[in-house]
Amino acid sequence: MVGVPRWGQDDEDLLRAYEMAVAIRSGQQLNAIPTTWPTPPGETVHSEVQCTLQQFIGANVSYNRGGFLALGNPLFTAATLGASLLYNASQRRNAERQAAVQWRAANHGLAYFSNRRLALQGQTGWFEIPWSELRNAAIDPAGIIVWPSSGPPLRLVLPWLACHYVLLRYLAFNDSTPVEIPDDLARRAAAAGRPLPSPMPVLPASSQWAPPDPTQGRPH
């Protein structure tokens, strides 16, 4: 459309997440998507996407202690010992930084969001966690953070972040995440023929969301 400002993938992700949350609150049914994963009877897949799995953990890091052999002049000996101490202190600080608890990549591959679990067919092996094992979830600029009932927090780094967060909250906790759209984006969407309902519908007692089949790992 001539004269209508375009938006990027992040804007489109937010719009689709909003539309998804509205569909959930409107009580639409959840549809399955085709997948090559051989799921057992009764299990359906609702998104299939490339994902990096990270863990919030520390690491065991060792460092070499440097040493100097100094013979003869006592002043020279003191100087070399001082240099050795400084070197060892620097190595120790570097090792402590590397060992500190932080987000560390644990696996990468194809993630499946099913009605029963999150599964990852990854480079380092198969990983899965039933939704019933999750205690909470949050979103940050890098990905979706989930807290299992045991083990360290996990972060899912994947495209269409807002959409997948709304989907995960629904599958894991049967709730609908409210999505706020900036006024500027709402105006641009309306100008492009995609007016957004406002306010967001009240969540019914029993709600389900019905996304069409995703394209390139994008739930919508």
Side-chain angles (χ1 to χ4, degrees):
M1 182 181 296
V2 178
V4 176
R6 301 290 298 174
W7 51 76
Q9 181 172 313
D10 289 345
D11 295 329
E12 182 66 22
D13 181 29
L14 195 57
L15 287 172
R16 288 178 179 271
Y18 184 93
E19 293 167 346
M20 186 187 307
V22 169
I24 290 173
R25 290 174 177 242
S26 299
Q28 298 185 34
Q29 298 296 308
L30 187 65
N31 295 328
I33 64 168
T35 178
T36 57
W37 179 26
T39 55
E43 184 166 12
T44 53
V45 176
H46 306 289
S47 184
E48 184 177 292
V49 61
Q50 288 292 322
C51 174
T52 296
L53 178 69
Q54 298 177 335
Q55 292 180 302
F56 196 64
I57 56 175
N60 294 323
V61 177
S62 61
Y63 68 97
N64 295 323
R65 294 174 178 271
F68 300 88
L69 176 62
L71 302 175
N73 191 321
L75 294 178
F76 180 74
T77 301
T80 54
L81 288 176
S84 178
L85 291 174
L86 290 174
Y87 173 81
N88 287 333
S90 175
Q91 290 291 93
R92 184 178 65 253
R93 287 193 297 270
N94 288 336
E96 289 172 349
R97 282 194 295 268
Q98 295 175 31
V101 175
Q102 57 189 284
W103 289 112
R104 301 177 184 275
N107 208 343
H108 176 83
L110 193 60
Y112 302 93
F113 288 66
S114 87
N115 60 329
R116 295 179 179 174
R117 54 186 157 165
L118 168 70
L120 180 68
Q121 183 178 314
Q123 296 172 344
T124 61
W126 183 269
F127 168 86
E128 65 179 59
I129 183 168
W131 297 124
S132 60
E133 292 296 315
L134 294 188
R135 295 297 174 260
N136 204 356
I139 190 171
D140 73 5
I144 300 171
I145 303 171
V146 295
W147 285 265
S149 58
S150 60
L154 306 173
R155 184 161 67 183
L156 312 174
V157 180
L158 71 179
W160 304 100
L161 185 56
C163 287
H164 280 101
Y165 181 64
V166 172
L167 175 60
L168 183 147
R169 295 285 312 188
Y170 171 71
L171 293 172
F173 309 118
N174 194 35
D175 70 4
S176 170
T177 302
V179 179
E180 296 184 0
I181 299 293
D183 291 340
D184 175 66
L185 181 56
R187 286 192 296 269
R188 286 185 286 142
R194 292 174 62 182
L196 303 176
S198 182
M200 185 172 287
V202 176
L203 182 65
S206 176
S207 64
Q208 291 185 324
W209 162 58
D213 292 344
T215 301
Q216 298 179 350
R218 177 185 64 200
H220 58 170

Short mmCIF file of all heavy atoms in Angstrom, two decimals, residues 144-204:
data_model
loop_
_atom_site.label_atom_id
_atom_site.label_comp_id
_atom_site.label_asym_id
_atom_site.label_seq_id
_atom_site.Cartn_x
_atom_site.Cartn_y
_atom_site.Cartn_z
N ILE A 144 13.33 -16.67 25.81
CA ILE A 144 12.32 -17.05 26.79
C ILE A 144 13.01 -17.81 27.91
O ILE A 144 13.68 -18.82 27.66
CB ILE A 144 11.23 -17.93 26.15
CG1 ILE A 144 10.54 -17.18 25.01
CG2 ILE A 144 10.21 -18.36 27.20
CD1 ILE A 144 9.61 -18.05 24.18
N ILE A 145 12.84 -17.37 29.13
CA ILE A 145 13.44 -18.02 30.29
C ILE A 145 12.38 -18.88 30.96
O ILE A 145 11.26 -18.42 31.19
CB ILE A 145 13.99 -16.99 31.29
CG1 ILE A 145 15.02 -16.07 30.61
CG2 ILE A 145 14.62 -17.68 32.50
CD1 ILE A 145 15.45 -14.90 31.47
N VAL A 146 12.74 -20.13 31.27
CA VAL A 146 11.82 -21.02 31.98
C VAL A 146 12.53 -21.58 33.20
O VAL A 146 13.74 -21.80 33.19
CB VAL A 146 11.31 -22.16 31.07
CG1 VAL A 146 10.46 -21.62 29.94
CG2 VAL A 146 12.45 -23.00 30.51
N TRP A 147 11.73 -21.81 34.24
CA TRP A 147 12.24 -22.36 35.49
C TRP A 147 11.65 -23.75 35.70
O TRP A 147 10.47 -23.87 36.07
CB TRP A 147 11.89 -21.46 36.67
CG TRP A 147 12.71 -20.23 36.77
CD1 TRP A 147 13.84 -20.03 37.51
CD2 TRP A 147 12.48 -18.97 36.09
NE1 TRP A 147 14.32 -18.76 37.35
CE2 TRP A 147 13.50 -18.08 36.48
CE3 TRP A 147 11.50 -18.52 35.20
CZ2 TRP A 147 13.57 -16.78 36.01
CZ3 TRP A 147 11.57 -17.23 34.72
CH2 TRP A 147 12.60 -16.36 35.13
N PRO A 148 12.43 -24.82 35.46
CA PRO A 148 11.94 -26.18 35.74
C PRO A 148 11.81 -26.41 37.24
O PRO A 148 12.37 -25.66 38.06
CB PRO A 148 13.01 -27.08 35.13
CG PRO A 148 13.85 -26.19 34.26
CD PRO A 148 13.77 -24.83 34.86
N SER A 149 11.11 -27.47 37.60
CA SER A 149 10.96 -27.80 39.02
C SER A 149 12.29 -28.23 39.63
O SER A 149 12.47 -28.14 40.85
CB SER A 149 9.92 -28.91 39.19
OG SER A 149 10.29 -30.06 38.45
N SER A 150 13.22 -28.70 38.80
CA SER A 150 14.56 -29.02 39.28
C SER A 150 15.57 -28.63 38.22
O SER A 150 15.25 -28.57 37.04
CB SER A 150 14.68 -30.53 39.58
OG SER A 150 14.45 -31.29 38.41
N GLY A 151 16.78 -28.33 38.65
CA GLY A 151 17.81 -27.92 37.71
C GLY A 151 17.85 -26.42 37.54
O GLY A 151 17.02 -25.67 38.06
N PRO A 152 18.84 -25.92 36.79
CA PRO A 152 19.03 -24.49 36.61
C PRO A 152 17.99 -23.90 35.66
O PRO A 152 17.34 -24.63 34.89
CB PRO A 152 20.43 -24.39 36.01
CG PRO A 152 20.58 -25.67 35.24
CD PRO A 152 19.87 -26.71 36.06
N PRO A 153 17.80 -22.57 35.66
CA PRO A 153 16.94 -21.94 34.67
C PRO A 153 17.45 -22.21 33.25
O PRO A 153 18.64 -22.39 33.02
CB PRO A 153 17.02 -20.44 35.02
CG PRO A 153 17.49 -20.40 36.43
CD PRO A 153 18.37 -21.60 36.61
N LEU A 154 16.52 -22.23 32.32
CA LEU A 154 16.84 -22.45 30.91
C LEU A 154 16.37 -21.25 30.09
O LEU A 154 15.40 -20.59 30.46
CB LEU A 154 16.14 -23.71 30.38
CG LEU A 154 16.37 -25.01 31.16
CD1 LEU A 154 15.48 -26.12 30.62
CD2 LEU A 154 17.83 -25.42 31.10
N ARG A 155 17.09 -20.98 29.00
CA ARG A 155 16.65 -19.90 28.11
C ARG A 155 16.57 -20.44 26.69
O ARG A 155 17.50 -21.09 26.21
CB ARG A 155 17.58 -18.70 28.17
CG ARG A 155 17.09 -17.53 27.31
CD ARG A 155 17.73 -16.20 27.70
NE ARG A 155 19.15 -16.16 27.43
CZ ARG A 155 19.95 -15.13 27.75
NH1 ARG A 155 19.43 -14.07 28.37
NH2 ARG A 155 21.23 -15.15 27.48
N LEU A 156 15.46 -20.15 26.03
CA LEU A 156 15.24 -20.55 24.65
C LEU A 156 15.51 -19.34 23.77
O LEU A 156 14.80 -18.33 23.86
CB LEU A 156 13.81 -21.03 24.44
CG LEU A 156 13.27 -22.05 25.46
CD1 LEU A 156 11.80 -22.32 25.21
CD2 LEU A 156 14.08 -23.33 25.42
N VAL A 157 16.53 -19.43 22.94
CA VAL A 157 16.87 -18.35 22.01
C VAL A 157 16.35 -18.78 20.64
O VAL A 157 16.86 -19.73 20.04
CB VAL A 157 18.39 -18.10 21.97
CG1 VAL A 157 18.72 -16.98 21.01
CG2 VAL A 157 18.90 -17.78 23.38
N LEU A 158 15.33 -18.09 20.15
CA LEU A 158 14.63 -18.53 18.95
C LEU A 158 13.96 -17.34 18.27
O LEU A 158 13.78 -16.29 18.89
CB LEU A 158 13.60 -19.60 19.30
CG LEU A 158 12.32 -19.24 20.06
CD1 LEU A 158 11.46 -20.49 20.25
CD2 LEU A 158 12.56 -18.60 21.40
N PRO A 159 13.60 -17.46 16.99
CA PRO A 159 12.92 -16.35 16.31
C PRO A 159 11.47 -16.25 16.73
O PRO A 159 10.94 -17.15 17.39
CB PRO A 159 13.05 -16.75 14.82
CG PRO A 159 13.15 -18.23 14.85
CD PRO A 159 13.89 -18.59 16.10
N TRP A 160 10.83 -15.15 16.33
CA TRP A 160 9.42 -14.89 16.67
C TRP A 160 9.20 -15.06 18.17
O TRP A 160 8.37 -15.85 18.63
CB TRP A 160 8.50 -15.79 15.84
CG TRP A 160 8.72 -15.62 14.37
CD1 TRP A 160 9.44 -16.44 13.55
CD2 TRP A 160 8.29 -14.52 13.56
NE1 TRP A 160 9.46 -15.93 12.27
CE2 TRP A 160 8.76 -14.75 12.25
CE3 TRP A 160 7.53 -13.36 13.81
CZ2 TRP A 160 8.52 -13.88 11.19
CZ3 TRP A 160 7.29 -12.49 12.76
CH2 TRP A 160 7.78 -12.75 11.47
N LEU A 161 9.99 -14.29 18.91
CA LEU A 161 10.09 -14.44 20.35
C LEU A 161 8.76 -14.19 21.06
O LEU A 161 8.33 -14.99 21.90
CB LEU A 161 11.17 -13.48 20.87
CG LEU A 161 11.53 -13.55 22.35
CD1 LEU A 161 11.96 -14.94 22.75
CD2 LEU A 161 12.63 -12.54 22.65
N ALA A 162 8.10 -13.08 20.74
CA ALA A 162 6.84 -12.75 21.42
C ALA A 162 5.78 -13.80 21.12
O ALA A 162 5.03 -14.22 22.02
CB ALA A 162 6.36 -11.36 21.00
N CYS A 163 5.70 -14.24 19.87
CA CYS A 163 4.71 -15.26 19.51
C CYS A 163 4.94 -16.54 20.30
O CYS A 163 4.00 -17.14 20.84
CB CYS A 163 4.79 -15.56 18.02
SG CYS A 163 4.13 -14.28 16.94
N HIS A 164 6.19 -16.98 20.37
CA HIS A 164 6.47 -18.23 21.07
C HIS A 164 6.28 -18.08 22.58
O HIS A 164 5.95 -19.06 23.25
CB HIS A 164 7.88 -18.72 20.74
CG HIS A 164 7.96 -19.41 19.42
ND1 HIS A 164 8.44 -18.80 18.28
CD2 HIS A 164 7.60 -20.66 19.04
CE1 HIS A 164 8.38 -19.64 17.27
NE2 HIS A 164 7.89 -20.77 17.70
N TYR A 165 6.48 -16.89 23.10
CA TYR A 165 6.23 -16.70 24.53
C TYR A 165 4.75 -16.84 24.85
O TYR A 165 4.37 -17.52 25.82
CB TYR A 165 6.75 -15.34 24.98
CG TYR A 165 6.54 -15.08 26.45
CD1 TYR A 165 7.17 -15.86 27.41
CD2 TYR A 165 5.70 -14.05 26.89
CE1 TYR A 165 6.99 -15.63 28.77
CE2 TYR A 165 5.51 -13.81 28.24
CZ TYR A 165 6.16 -14.61 29.18
OH TYR A 165 5.96 -14.38 30.51
N VAL A 166 3.91 -16.23 24.04
CA VAL A 166 2.46 -16.36 24.24
C VAL A 166 2.05 -17.84 24.10
O VAL A 166 1.25 -18.36 24.88
CB VAL A 166 1.69 -15.48 23.25
CG1 VAL A 166 0.19 -15.76 23.32
CG2 VAL A 166 1.96 -14.00 23.53
N LEU A 167 2.61 -18.51 23.09
CA LEU A 167 2.30 -19.92 22.87
C LEU A 167 2.75 -20.77 24.06
O LEU A 167 1.99 -21.63 24.55
CB LEU A 167 2.98 -20.40 21.59
CG LEU A 167 2.87 -21.90 21.27
CD1 LEU A 167 1.41 -22.31 21.11
CD2 LEU A 167 3.67 -22.23 20.02
N LEU A 168 3.98 -20.54 24.55
CA LEU A 168 4.48 -21.33 25.67
C LEU A 168 3.64 -21.12 26.93
O LEU A 168 3.32 -22.08 27.63
CB LEU A 168 5.95 -20.97 25.94
CG LEU A 168 6.66 -21.76 27.03
CD1 LEU A 168 8.15 -21.94 26.69
CD2 LEU A 168 6.55 -21.09 28.40
N ARG A 169 3.28 -19.87 27.21
CA ARG A 169 2.47 -19.60 28.40
C ARG A 169 1.13 -20.33 28.32
O ARG A 169 0.62 -20.82 29.33
CB ARG A 169 2.23 -18.10 28.56
CG ARG A 169 3.43 -17.25 28.83
CD ARG A 169 3.96 -17.33 30.23
NE ARG A 169 2.97 -17.20 31.27
CZ ARG A 169 3.28 -17.10 32.56
NH1 ARG A 169 4.54 -17.12 32.95
NH2 ARG A 169 2.34 -16.99 33.47
N TYR A 170 0.59 -20.40 27.11
CA TYR A 170 -0.69 -21.08 26.95
C TYR A 170 -0.53 -22.59 27.13
O TYR A 170 -1.29 -23.24 27.87
CB TYR A 170 -1.29 -20.79 25.58
CG TYR A 170 -2.49 -21.65 25.30
CD1 TYR A 170 -3.70 -21.45 25.96
CD2 TYR A 170 -2.39 -22.73 24.42
CE1 TYR A 170 -4.79 -22.26 25.73
CE2 TYR A 170 -3.49 -23.55 24.19
CZ TYR A 170 -4.68 -23.31 24.84
OH TYR A 170 -5.75 -24.12 24.62
N LEU A 171 0.48 -23.18 26.46
CA LEU A 171 0.67 -24.63 26.54
C LEU A 171 1.07 -25.08 27.94
O LEU A 171 0.61 -26.12 28.42
CB LEU A 171 1.74 -25.06 25.53
CG LEU A 171 1.39 -24.90 24.04
CD1 LEU A 171 2.62 -25.18 23.18
CD2 LEU A 171 0.24 -25.82 23.65
N ALA A 172 1.94 -24.32 28.59
CA ALA A 172 2.47 -24.75 29.89
C ALA A 172 1.53 -24.44 31.04
O ALA A 172 1.42 -25.22 31.99
CB ALA A 172 3.83 -24.09 30.14
N PHE A 173 0.87 -23.28 30.98
CA PHE A 173 0.09 -22.81 32.14
C PHE A 173 -1.38 -22.54 31.82
O PHE A 173 -2.12 -22.12 32.70
CB PHE A 173 0.73 -21.54 32.69
CG PHE A 173 2.21 -21.67 32.95
CD1 PHE A 173 3.11 -20.86 32.27
CD2 PHE A 173 2.70 -22.60 33.84
CE1 PHE A 173 4.48 -20.98 32.48
CE2 PHE A 173 4.07 -22.73 34.06
CZ PHE A 173 4.96 -21.91 33.38
N ASN A 174 -1.78 -22.75 30.56
CA ASN A 174 -3.16 -22.53 30.14
C ASN A 174 -3.61 -21.10 30.47
O ASN A 174 -4.73 -20.87 30.92
CB ASN A 174 -4.11 -23.54 30.80
CG ASN A 174 -5.47 -23.54 30.13
OD1 ASN A 174 -5.57 -23.37 28.91
ND2 ASN A 174 -6.52 -23.75 30.90
N ASP A 175 -2.74 -20.15 30.23
CA ASP A 175 -3.12 -18.76 30.45
C ASP A 175 -2.87 -17.94 29.19
O ASP A 175 -2.29 -18.42 28.22
CB ASP A 175 -2.42 -18.15 31.66
CG ASP A 175 -0.92 -17.92 31.45
OD1 ASP A 175 -0.43 -18.15 30.33
OD2 ASP A 175 -0.24 -17.50 32.39
N SER A 176 -3.36 -16.73 29.20
CA SER A 176 -3.21 -15.84 28.04
C SER A 176 -2.41 -14.63 28.48
O SER A 176 -2.84 -13.87 29.35
CB SER A 176 -4.57 -15.40 27.53
OG SER A 176 -4.45 -14.38 26.57
N THR A 177 -1.25 -14.45 27.88
CA THR A 177 -0.38 -13.34 28.22
C THR A 177 -0.90 -12.06 27.58
O THR A 177 -1.07 -12.01 26.36
CB THR A 177 1.05 -13.61 27.73
OG1 THR A 177 1.52 -14.82 28.31
CG2 THR A 177 1.97 -12.46 28.10
N PRO A 178 -1.17 -11.02 28.36
CA PRO A 178 -1.57 -9.74 27.74
C PRO A 178 -0.40 -9.15 26.96
O PRO A 178 0.74 -9.15 27.42
CB PRO A 178 -1.95 -8.87 28.94
CG PRO A 178 -1.22 -9.46 30.10
CD PRO A 178 -1.13 -10.93 29.83
N VAL A 179 -0.68 -8.68 25.77
CA VAL A 179 0.34 -8.10 24.90
C VAL A 179 -0.01 -6.64 24.64
O VAL A 179 -1.12 -6.33 24.21
CB VAL A 179 0.42 -8.86 23.56
CG1 VAL A 179 1.46 -8.23 22.64
CG2 VAL A 179 0.73 -10.34 23.80
N GLU A 180 0.93 -5.75 24.94
CA GLU A 180 0.72 -4.33 24.73
C GLU A 180 1.36 -3.90 23.41
O GLU A 180 2.52 -4.21 23.15
CB GLU A 180 1.29 -3.52 25.89
CG GLU A 180 0.61 -3.79 27.23
CD GLU A 180 1.13 -2.90 28.34
OE1 GLU A 180 2.03 -2.07 28.04
OE2 GLU A 180 0.68 -3.04 29.48
N ILE A 181 0.58 -3.19 22.60
CA ILE A 181 1.06 -2.69 21.32
C ILE A 181 1.29 -1.19 21.43
O ILE A 181 0.39 -0.45 21.82
CB ILE A 181 0.04 -2.97 20.20
CG1 ILE A 181 -0.18 -4.48 20.05
CG2 ILE A 181 0.49 -2.37 18.88
CD1 ILE A 181 1.01 -5.23 19.54
N PRO A 182 2.48 -0.69 21.09
CA PRO A 182 2.71 0.76 21.09
C PRO A 182 1.73 1.47 20.16
O PRO A 182 1.33 0.93 19.12
CB PRO A 182 4.16 0.89 20.58
CG PRO A 182 4.80 -0.44 20.85
CD PRO A 182 3.71 -1.45 20.72
N ASP A 183 1.33 2.66 20.55
CA ASP A 183 0.34 3.41 19.77
C ASP A 183 0.78 3.60 18.32
O ASP A 183 -0.02 3.49 17.39
CB ASP A 183 0.07 4.77 20.42
CG ASP A 183 -0.66 4.63 21.75
OD1 ASP A 183 -1.27 3.57 21.98
OD2 ASP A 183 -0.60 5.59 22.55
N ASP A 184 2.08 3.88 18.13
CA ASP A 184 2.57 4.11 16.77
C ASP A 184 2.40 2.86 15.91
O ASP A 184 1.98 2.94 14.75
CB ASP A 184 4.03 4.53 16.81
CG ASP A 184 4.63 4.66 15.42
OD1 ASP A 184 4.20 5.56 14.66
OD2 ASP A 184 5.51 3.85 15.07
N LEU A 185 2.71 1.69 16.46
CA LEU A 185 2.57 0.45 15.71
C LEU A 185 1.10 0.15 15.44
O LEU A 185 0.74 -0.32 14.36
CB LEU A 185 3.22 -0.70 16.46
CG LEU A 185 3.17 -2.08 15.79
CD1 LEU A 185 3.77 -2.03 14.38
CD2 LEU A 185 3.88 -3.12 16.64
N ALA A 186 0.24 0.42 16.41
CA ALA A 186 -1.20 0.20 16.22
C ALA A 186 -1.73 1.08 15.09
O ALA A 186 -2.54 0.63 14.27
CB ALA A 186 -1.95 0.48 17.51
N ARG A 187 -1.26 2.33 15.02
CA ARG A 187 -1.71 3.22 13.95
C ARG A 187 -1.22 2.73 12.59
O ARG A 187 -1.95 2.74 11.60
CB ARG A 187 -1.21 4.65 14.21
CG ARG A 187 -1.96 5.38 15.32
CD ARG A 187 -1.63 6.86 15.32
NE ARG A 187 -0.22 7.11 15.63
CZ ARG A 187 0.24 7.31 16.86
NH1 ARG A 187 -0.60 7.29 17.90
NH2 ARG A 187 1.52 7.54 17.08
N ARG A 188 0.04 2.28 12.53
CA ARG A 188 0.58 1.77 11.27
C ARG A 188 -0.14 0.50 10.83
O ARG A 188 -0.39 0.29 9.65
CB ARG A 188 2.08 1.52 11.40
CG ARG A 188 2.91 2.81 11.43
CD ARG A 188 4.39 2.49 11.43
NE ARG A 188 4.85 1.99 12.72
CZ ARG A 188 5.76 1.04 12.89
NH1 ARG A 188 6.29 0.45 11.83
NH2 ARG A 188 6.14 0.66 14.09
N ALA A 189 -0.48 -0.36 11.80
CA ALA A 189 -1.20 -1.58 11.47
C ALA A 189 -2.60 -1.25 10.93
O ALA A 189 -3.06 -1.85 9.95
CB ALA A 189 -1.30 -2.47 12.70
N ALA A 190 -3.26 -0.28 11.56
CA ALA A 190 -4.59 0.12 11.09
C ALA A 190 -4.52 0.70 9.69
O ALA A 190 -5.38 0.43 8.83
CB ALA A 190 -5.20 1.12 12.06
N ALA A 191 -3.48 1.50 9.41
CA ALA A 191 -3.33 2.08 8.08
C ALA A 191 -3.06 1.02 7.03
O ALA A 191 -3.38 1.21 5.84
CB ALA A 191 -2.19 3.11 8.09
N ALA A 192 -2.49 -0.12 7.46
CA ALA A 192 -2.21 -1.22 6.53
C ALA A 192 -3.37 -2.20 6.44
O ALA A 192 -3.24 -3.26 5.82
CB ALA A 192 -0.95 -1.95 6.96
N GLY A 193 -4.51 -1.86 7.06
CA GLY A 193 -5.68 -2.73 6.99
C GLY A 193 -5.71 -3.82 8.03
O GLY A 193 -6.41 -4.82 7.86
N ARG A 194 -4.96 -3.65 9.14
CA ARG A 194 -4.95 -4.64 10.22
C ARG A 194 -5.30 -3.96 11.54
O ARG A 194 -4.48 -3.89 12.46
CB ARG A 194 -3.58 -5.32 10.33
CG ARG A 194 -3.24 -6.20 9.14
CD ARG A 194 -1.83 -6.73 9.23
NE ARG A 194 -1.61 -7.56 10.40
CZ ARG A 194 -0.44 -8.11 10.72
NH1 ARG A 194 0.62 -7.88 9.94
NH2 ARG A 194 -0.30 -8.86 11.79
N PRO A 195 -6.51 -3.44 11.67
CA PRO A 195 -6.88 -2.80 12.94
C PRO A 195 -6.90 -3.82 14.07
O PRO A 195 -7.35 -4.96 13.89
CB PRO A 195 -8.27 -2.25 12.65
CG PRO A 195 -8.80 -3.11 11.55
CD PRO A 195 -7.61 -3.47 10.70
N LEU A 196 -6.40 -3.43 15.22
CA LEU A 196 -6.32 -4.32 16.37
C LEU A 196 -7.48 -4.05 17.32
O LEU A 196 -7.78 -2.89 17.62
CB LEU A 196 -4.99 -4.13 17.10
CG LEU A 196 -3.74 -4.34 16.24
CD1 LEU A 196 -2.49 -4.04 17.05
CD2 LEU A 196 -3.69 -5.77 15.71
N PRO A 197 -8.14 -5.09 17.81
CA PRO A 197 -9.22 -4.88 18.77
C PRO A 197 -8.68 -4.29 20.06
O PRO A 197 -7.63 -4.70 20.56
CB PRO A 197 -9.78 -6.28 19.00
CG PRO A 197 -8.67 -7.21 18.63
CD PRO A 197 -7.91 -6.52 17.53
N SER A 198 -9.35 -3.32 20.59
CA SER A 198 -8.93 -2.68 21.84
C SER A 198 -10.17 -2.32 22.64
O SER A 198 -11.12 -1.74 22.11
CB SER A 198 -8.12 -1.42 21.55
OG SER A 198 -7.68 -0.83 22.74
N PRO A 199 -10.23 -2.65 23.93
CA PRO A 199 -9.20 -3.39 24.66
C PRO A 199 -9.20 -4.87 24.32
O PRO A 199 -10.12 -5.36 23.67
CB PRO A 199 -9.58 -3.16 26.11
CG PRO A 199 -11.07 -3.04 26.07
CD PRO A 199 -11.37 -2.31 24.78
N MET A 200 -8.16 -5.57 24.78
CA MET A 200 -8.07 -7.01 24.57
C MET A 200 -9.24 -7.69 25.27
O MET A 200 -9.60 -7.32 26.39
CB MET A 200 -6.74 -7.53 25.11
CG MET A 200 -6.49 -9.00 24.84
SD MET A 200 -4.80 -9.52 25.30
CE MET A 200 -3.87 -8.76 23.99
N PRO A 201 -9.88 -8.68 24.63
CA PRO A 201 -11.02 -9.36 25.26
C PRO A 201 -10.67 -9.96 26.61
O PRO A 201 -9.54 -10.35 26.86
CB PRO A 201 -11.38 -10.46 24.23
CG PRO A 201 -10.76 -10.02 22.95
CD PRO A 201 -9.54 -9.23 23.31
N VAL A 202 -11.68 -10.04 27.47
CA VAL A 202 -11.49 -10.67 28.78
C VAL A 202 -11.35 -12.16 28.59
O VAL A 202 -12.06 -12.78 27.79
CB VAL A 202 -12.69 -10.36 29.70
CG1 VAL A 202 -12.55 -11.10 31.03
CG2 VAL A 202 -12.80 -8.86 29.93
N LEU A 203 -10.41 -12.76 29.28
CA LEU A 203 -10.14 -14.18 29.14
C LEU A 203 -11.29 -15.00 29.69
O LEU A 203 -11.68 -14.85 30.85
CB LEU A 203 -8.84 -14.55 29.88
CG LEU A 203 -8.40 -16.01 29.79
CD1 LEU A 203 -8.02 -16.34 28.34
CD2 LEU A 203 -7.22 -16.26 30.71
N PRO A 204 -11.89 -15.90 28.86
CA PRO A 204 -12.96 -16.76 29.37
C PRO A 204 -12.42 -17.81 30.32
O PRO A 204 -11.21 -18.04 30.40
CB PRO A 204 -13.53 -17.40 28.10
CG PRO A 204 -12.41 -17.36 27.12
CD PRO A 204 -11.62 -16.11 27.44
#
